[in-house]
Amino acid sequence: MLISDPSWAVQADLSRLHDLLLDLLCDRAYREGDFLLSSGQRSTYYINGKQVTLHPQGAVAVGRLLAARLPQEITAVAGLTLGADPIVTAVSVVAAYEGRQLTPLIVRKEAKGHGTQAYIEGPELPAGTAIAVLEDVVTTGSSALKAVARLRDAGYVVDRVLSLVDRQQGGAELYAKEGLIFDALYRISDLQQRYQELTAR
């Protein structure tokens, strides 16, 4: 279905879409081997989320599934560049098609070197705006936490982090300590089980 029907990301109901996106993640983003992660840890597997978040149908699926998990009081989404950029955009665009306003913001790792020297790119929102931070893959949780800190420093209210995949290596525990709600579409065990099923065929 992923190859023969390019409308799957738009047409599938959310339950089916969740399964189809898992297959796409296994096919395009998940690899096994010896890898050095951005956290400095070594791993026997690697997830390149951008292989899915920059995939046309993948972006639509990500946008639909993540937007559906955001409570109505959330009116903006943000994330740390670069991994979150396509996710934030996809969620905002999908929400607009569904009649909902979710303003997208991008959080820089370093302040802009010219002009306003801002850390946050996107429309300026009122202080107190409720924002959810989006991430592709959570390992230790430190990347998304940088975005949370920058957004809070700017006067926004951030109470949750939502990711595509939780590697279950400390991120959830870190967010809990910071008083953040954490949710992920998939646990790493979901990907590994489905990957084994697909490669065994």
Side-chain angles (χ1 to χ4, degrees):
M1 181 177 182
L2 297 183
I3 297 173
S4 63
D5 182 5
S7 68
W8 64 266
V10 176
Q11 300 296 332
D13 63 55
L14 292 181
S15 177
R16 176 68 175 144
L17 189 62
H18 189 269
D19 292 340
L20 292 170
L21 181 60
L22 178 59
D23 284 357
L24 189 64
L25 280 163
C26 291
D27 181 58
R28 300 295 179 94
Y30 180 84
R31 294 292 179 267
E32 295 187 343
D34 180 31
F35 302 97
L36 179 64
L37 306 179
S38 61
S39 64
Q41 300 177 14
R42 297 209 74 86
S43 176
T44 57
Y45 65 89
Y46 181 66
I47 305 165
N48 183 356
K50 289 181 284 295
Q51 292 295 317
V52 168
T53 60
L54 290 171
H55 181 283
Q57 286 77 24
V60 174
V62 165
R64 288 184 62 200
L65 289 167
L66 292 183
R69 294 204 180 196
L70 294 173
Q72 287 301 311
E73 61 265 24
I74 298 296
T75 56
V77 289
L80 192 69
T81 196
L82 174 71
D85 294 6
I87 303 175
V88 167
T89 302
V91 170
S92 177
V93 170
V94 166
Y97 272 99
E98 295 175 349
R100 182 178 180 187
Q101 179 80 11
L102 285 173
T103 301
L105 301 175
I106 299 298
V107 181
R108 291 176 174 271
K109 294 179 181 177
E110 303 293 339
K112 194 174 185 178
H114 59 280
T116 60
Q117 299 184 343
Y119 271 104
I120 301 170
E121 297 290 350
E124 189 170 332
L125 302 172
T129 297
I131 299 178
V133 166
L134 308 181
E135 181 70 285
D136 55 357
V137 180
V138 166
T139 303
T140 64
S142 59
S143 293
L145 204 57
K146 290 177 185 176
V148 170
R150 294 295 180 198
L151 293 161
R152 286 177 170 173
D153 288 346
Y156 300 128
V157 174
V158 184
D159 73 346
R160 71 191 61 234
V161 174
L162 181 55
S163 75
L164 297 185
V165 181
D166 178 11
R167 289 179 59 110
Q168 298 180 290
Q169 291 181 274
E173 292 77 10
L174 177 63
Y175 298 145
K177 288 180 183 177
E178 296 295 326
L180 293 162
I181 299 165
F182 176 56
D183 189 17
L185 292 180
Y186 311 98
R187 299 180 304 275
I188 184 57
S189 55
D190 298 325
L191 268 73
Q192 291 173 329
Q193 179 180 334
R194 185 59 178 153
Y195 181 80
Q196 294 302 322
E197 291 170 355
L198 291 172
T199 54
R201 289 180 176 177

